[in-house]
Amino acid sequence: MTSENLRVKVGDLQLRNPTLLAGGILGLTGASLKRVWESGAGAIITKSIGLESRKGYPGPSVAQTPCGLVNALGLPNPGIEYALEEIKVARESKATLLGSVFGRNVEEFEVLASKMEKAGVDAIEFNLSCPHAEDIPMIGQDPKLTKNVLKVRDNLETPIWVKLPGNTHLSNLVEVAKSAEEGGADALVISNTFPAMAINARAERPILGHKVGGLSGQAIRPIGLRLVYEVYKEVEIPIVGAGGVASGENMIEYVLAGASAVEVGMSIIESGLGIFQEICEEASSYLEGRKIKDLVGLAHQNLD
Ligand SMILES: Cc1cc2nc3c(=O)[nH]c(=O)nc-3n(C[C@H](O)[C@H](O)[C@H](O)COP(=O)(O)O)c2cc1C
C-alpha cells in the first residue's frame, strides 16, 4: 500500500509505508515473503537466519494466553545458504527486503552480513535479542558486546538495524542503544518478545516444550511504547517499534513515542494479511492530510 502521507525513511532506507513484517513471521520462504509484500507491507523481513540449519525446540512451541502468545521456537531456520535461495525468490517482487540474522560472535555476524549484502537485501537486521535461545548469547543485553558485533559495519555498504531485547531495565537498555549507535548501527528495533512462560495448572507443568519463551501481542504494546519513548530521548538514529501493533492508531502511538516505523507480528496471526492495509488506511485517515514522518516523537513535546 502506497500513500504519499505514509512514506517514511528509516535512515537512508525509503519505505512506501511504515508497516514492516516482524522478523520470524511468514519469513522463511520466498513465496510467503512475496505474499506479505503484495498484501501491502512497507517492507518484509526474513526469519532470523544463522550460519547452519537449526531444528529449534520440541513442541509445543507456542502457548496462547488470555493476554498474548508465548513462543519458544528456538530460532529454527534452514541456514544461510538455503535462505539465500528463498531471498532470490522474494526479490523477484522488487520488495523492500531486510535479512534478519543471528550469531554467536562477531565472526558469525560478519559472514552472515556479507552474504546478505551480496544477496542484495536493502538492510540487515541483527537479532541480538532472542529471549529463549540459550545457546545463542543475548548480545543485546550487553553494551560492549553490542558495539563489538557492529565492527562488521565498517566492511558493509548495507544499513544495519539492531533488534534489542524487551528489556525493562531501562538504564541498561539505554546504554545498549547508545553503544549500538556509537558502533555505527543505522537503526534500532525495539523490541523482541519479553521473557515469559505459560503453565498448565491441571498438568502441573510448563506448557512449552522448552518450558520458557517470549511474550508477544497487544499485552506488550504499553511496555514497548515506554521503551521506545525512553530510548528516543537518548539517541539520534531512527527507531522501529515492535510489539502489539494491531491498528493504525497503535502505529501512530509508536510514532508519537519516537518510532519512524513499526514491525507487525502477532496481528498477522490473529487477523490475517489484510492487517497491513487496515493499519495503513486507518493511519492515513487519522493523519487528515499531515505526513506521518512529521509526527515522529511528538509525544515528547513540552505541553506546559
Ligand atoms: C512465533 C514468533 C516467532 C518469532 N521469531 C522471531 C525471529 O526469528 N527473529 C526476530 O527478530 N524476532 C522474532 N519474533 C519476535 C517478533 O519479530 C516481534 O518482535 C515480537 O513478536 C513483538 O511484536 P508483535 O507483538 O507484533 O508480535 C518472533 C515472534 C513470534 C510470535
Side-chain angles (χ1 to χ4, degrees), residues 101-164:
V101 295
F102 68 90
R104 291 178 180 78
N105 49 46
V106 67
E107 289 76 21
E108 289 195 13
F109 275 101
E110 186 143 41
V111 176
L112 290 161
S114 80
K115 285 182 187 278
M116 283 288 183
E117 177 163 286
K118 281 199 192 99
V121 298
D122 296 289
I124 304 166
E125 188 176 88
F126 280 12
N127 176 2
L128 305 185
S129 50
C130 181
H132 50 75
E134 282 84 8
D135 59 322
I136 306 295
M138 177 76 104
I139 292 171
Q141 274 179 340
D142 185 313
K144 281 198 190 125
L145 293 179
T146 299
K147 194 167 173 184
N148 194 43
V149 293
L150 282 160
K151 278 185 194 156
V152 307
R153 182 73 189 88
D154 297 344
N155 304 321
L156 297 167
E157 308 263 306
T158 312
I160 301 289
W161 297 11
V162 171
K163 187 159 180 181
L164 296 180

Side-chain angles (χ1 to χ4, degrees), residues 76 81 99 103 121 124 201 214-215 251 283-284:
E81 294 306 331
V121 298
I124 304 166
L215 182 68
M251 175 168 85
S284 210

Side-chain angles (χ1 to χ4, degrees), residues 22-25 47-48 71 127 163 191-193 216-217 220 243-244 265-266:
I25 317 286
K47 170 82 186 155
S48 294
N71 95 80
N127 176 2
K163 187 159 180 181
S191 72
N192 212 311
T193 55
S216 55
I220 67 171
M266 263 305 286

Side-chain angles (χ1 to χ4, degrees), residues 20 41 76 139 154 203 230 271 297:
L20 293 93
I139 292 171
D154 297 344
E230 298 294 345
S271 310

Side-chain angles (χ1 to χ4, degrees), residues 31-42:
S32 63
L33 284 162
K34 265 173 153 176
R35 256 190 86 202
V36 179
W37 174 252
E38 283 154 14
S39 75

